[in-house]
Amino acid sequence: MTQKQKIEFFIETLEKMFPNARCELDFRTPFQLLVAVILSAQTTDKQVNKVNKKFFELLKNPEDVAKIWLSEIEKNIKSIGLYKNKAKFIFATGNKLVNDFDSKVPGNITDLQKLPGVGIKTAKVVMAVLYNWPYLAVDTHVHRVLNRLGFVKTKLAEETDKKTEKIFSDKDKSRLHHLLIFFGRYHCTARNPKCETCPFTQICKFYNKK
Ligand code: SF4
């Protein structure tokens, strides 16, 4: 199987496995999506949604940050890991959006990364989910799955991020974004990958090394 055939087989199979793959973070406004993605670092989407149910009543748009204290943000998100840092990022990002970006979430990767707490992964998620741009954000699931399958051979997620730019076409990237996250979250999990029911055993480097 050529690399092109492998990619086609991979995506077509993932689409059959997860026809409803989508962003699992709840949000109503662009700013809420940005906040949810900042909160989701090293935390499950489920936990973020639970916290945001109440928190997002206070925080709809960047201007709302000016109406609350940093301590109030901390209080609302304290059940989430690294909450003190995340509260600072949300507070500073809201203020920066008001002061420098006309209270709008930027629609490009460069400006998004100027916001406190927003790295390349968060910026790509926002671009893909909010603006439907062909970006493949590499989180821990995507990094693990692409290495196990042998699409990349990297140690750090940042290296995987750079490699995916060349491996997958723009058309593939937009479809793969949610598919890979679902596959890593629900099938090829970190501790107990479901290899016995996996359609990719023939192409999987990890499986064939066992
Ligand atoms: S065979 Fe196992 S390790 Fe390989 S992709 Fe499937 S679930 Fe993951």
Side-chain angles (χ1 to χ4, degrees), residues 148-149 183 187-188 193-195 198 200-201 204 206-207:
R148 281 180 174 171
L149 281 154
F183 184 63
H187 189 101
C188 186
K194 296 173 184 159
C195 301
C198 186
F200 303 123
T201 49
C204 179
F206 178 87
Y207 181 82

Side-chain angles (χ1 to χ4, degrees), residues 21-37:
R22 59 176 178 85
C23 175
E24 292 192 294
L25 291 167
D26 295 335
F27 65 96
R28 284 175 182 230
T29 66
F31 181 57
Q32 287 183 340
L33 172 68
L34 182 57
V35 169
V37 181

Side-chain angles (χ1 to χ4, degrees), residues 37 39 45 54-55 76 124 141 150 152 161 178 183 192 206:
V37 181
L39 288 175
D45 288 1
K54 186 165 163 247
F55 185 40
N76 272 275
K124 283 187 170 181
H141 298 301
V152 297
D161 183 75
H178 299 302
F183 184 63
N192 296 306
F206 178 87

